[in-house]
Amino acid sequence: MNFFNGIIHNQVFIACFLAWFIAQLIKVVLTYFFENRFDASRFVGSGGMPSSHTSFVTSLATAVGLVSGYESSEFALSLVLALVVMYDAAGVRRSVGKQAQILNSIIDDFQKHRKDPLNEERLKELIGHTPIEVFAGAILGILIAHLVV
């Protein structure tokens, strides 16, 4: 029981979890507001505004910096992790989403001219983030960490 007790009293973990949770909740609210539909899958889905991956890791880096000091090895490690995740979210994963859009379009066009349709599922297009979505996630994560720790 020490593990679970430690987790629920760990301010760094609580900051990370809250930053992720709030970012995902914002995605659901924005989908409802802009598309007039409730989409619970946005709560666990990737992509969109704000980046929950970014809010998660920036809250981690900020909370570790507040607890262990910004000169600590723990902060350096968490900061490097945060930078890699943010680069991946706005770079590699965003490119994958764009490629999925193009491939889905090719498949749709191909299906129109074919007698026997393909049985392939559409690729997920909302995977990565725009730089503004990453920036918003970073600000959210930093704010949550400062509020919790």
Side-chain angles (χ1 to χ4, degrees), residues 3 9 18 23 25 29 33 46 54 63 69 100 103 116-118 123 129:
F3 173 78
H9 291 96
L18 278 176
L25 187 61
V29 170
F33 183 74
S46 60
T54 299
L103 288 171
D116 53 329
L118 295 172
L123 298 170
H129 295 282

Side-chain angles (χ1 to χ4, degrees), residues 12 58 78 101 113 119 145:
V12 172
T58 56
S78 60
Q101 287 176 330
H113 300 92
N119 292 329

Side-chain angles (χ1 to χ4, degrees), residues 30-69:
L30 289 177
T31 299
Y32 183 77
F33 183 74
F34 287 112
E35 299 177 19
N36 289 329
R37 65 184 177 90
F38 177 76
D39 185 359
S41 72
R42 296 299 303 133
F43 190 74
V44 293
S46 60
M49 172 68 94
S51 168
S52 58
H53 290 90
T54 299
S55 64
F56 190 76
V57 293
T58 56
S59 66
L60 171 66
T62 304
V64 167
L66 291 169
V67 170
S68 300

Side-chain angles (χ1 to χ4, degrees), residues 115-135:
K115 292 179 192 171
D116 53 329
L118 295 172
N119 292 329
E120 299 297 321
E121 290 184 32
R122 292 184 60 81
L123 298 170
K124 185 175 178 183
E125 296 177 5
L126 189 57
I127 296 172
H129 295 282
T130 65
I132 193 74
E133 292 169 343
V134 171
F135 180 74

Side-chain angles (χ1 to χ4, degrees), residues 72-141:
S72 68
S73 296
E74 294 88 351
F75 172 71
L77 179 65
S78 60
L79 178 61
V80 168
L81 173 68
L83 294 173
V84 168
V85 168
M86 292 188 304
Y87 175 80
D88 181 64
V92 177
R93 289 177 59 234
R94 185 167 181 223
S95 293
V96 168
K98 287 181 177 182
Q99 291 171 1
Q101 287 176 330
I102 293 167
L103 288 171
N104 284 336
S105 177
I106 291 170
I107 290 171
D108 290 344
D109 190 49
F110 186 72
Q111 296 282 48
K112 289 178 188 175
H113 300 92
R114 199 178 149 109
K115 292 179 192 171
D116 53 329
L118 295 172
N119 292 329
E120 299 297 321
E121 290 184 32
R122 292 184 60 81
L123 298 170
K124 185 175 178 183
E125 296 177 5
L126 189 57
I127 296 172
H129 295 282
T130 65
I132 193 74
E133 292 169 343
V134 171
F135 180 74
I139 296 300
L140 178 64

